[in-house]
Amino acid sequence: MVSSLITVTCLRRLIGRQVQHQEIPCQIIEVLEEGPILVLQEVACHQTIQPDQFGKARRRVPQTLEVKVQDSSGRMSPAFLALGVLPFLSSH
């Protein structure tokens, strides 16, 4: 599958899917159009402290990670390919 054929609409079908990112179990929770970028949330118990708008620590939340779909040359990024979601994109 050529990366130019991967649309944001197609990527949004992945929301909710469980993936492994650098050996960390995650869930795809959002797709950012700029990039595009997949936003992942750790499924494990690791939580980070989320600051409020003034930078003060307020609460613990699961850590989020971003994975670019394409690298600077327009090819699918190695991090995106490592998620193993291509079979799910080609079936739609």
Side-chain angles (χ1 to χ4, degrees), residues 7-27:
T7 64
V8 173
T9 303
C10 189
L11 291 170
R12 285 198 174 118
R13 293 185 190 124
L14 297 174
I15 292 175
R17 184 161 299 279
Q18 301 280 327
V19 294
Q20 291 274 357
H21 176 61
Q22 298 177 350
E23 299 183 18
I24 301 169
C26 297
Q27 182 176 24

Side-chain angles (χ1 to χ4, degrees), residues 5 23 69:
L5 298 177
E23 299 183 18
V69 174

Side-chain angles (χ1 to χ4, degrees), residues 42-79:
E42 284 189 26
V43 178
C45 296
H46 300 108
Q47 294 189 338
T48 58
I49 297 174
Q50 182 182 44
D52 64 12
Q53 64 188 7
F54 305 106
K56 295 183 181 179
R58 291 291 178 201
R59 63 185 181 146
R60 291 190 176 274
V61 295
Q63 184 172 352
T64 56
L65 308 160
E66 295 181 354
V67 174
K68 290 184 178 182
V69 174
Q70 298 177 337
D71 62 16
S72 58
S73 65
R75 295 187 197 132
M76 286 184 260
S77 73

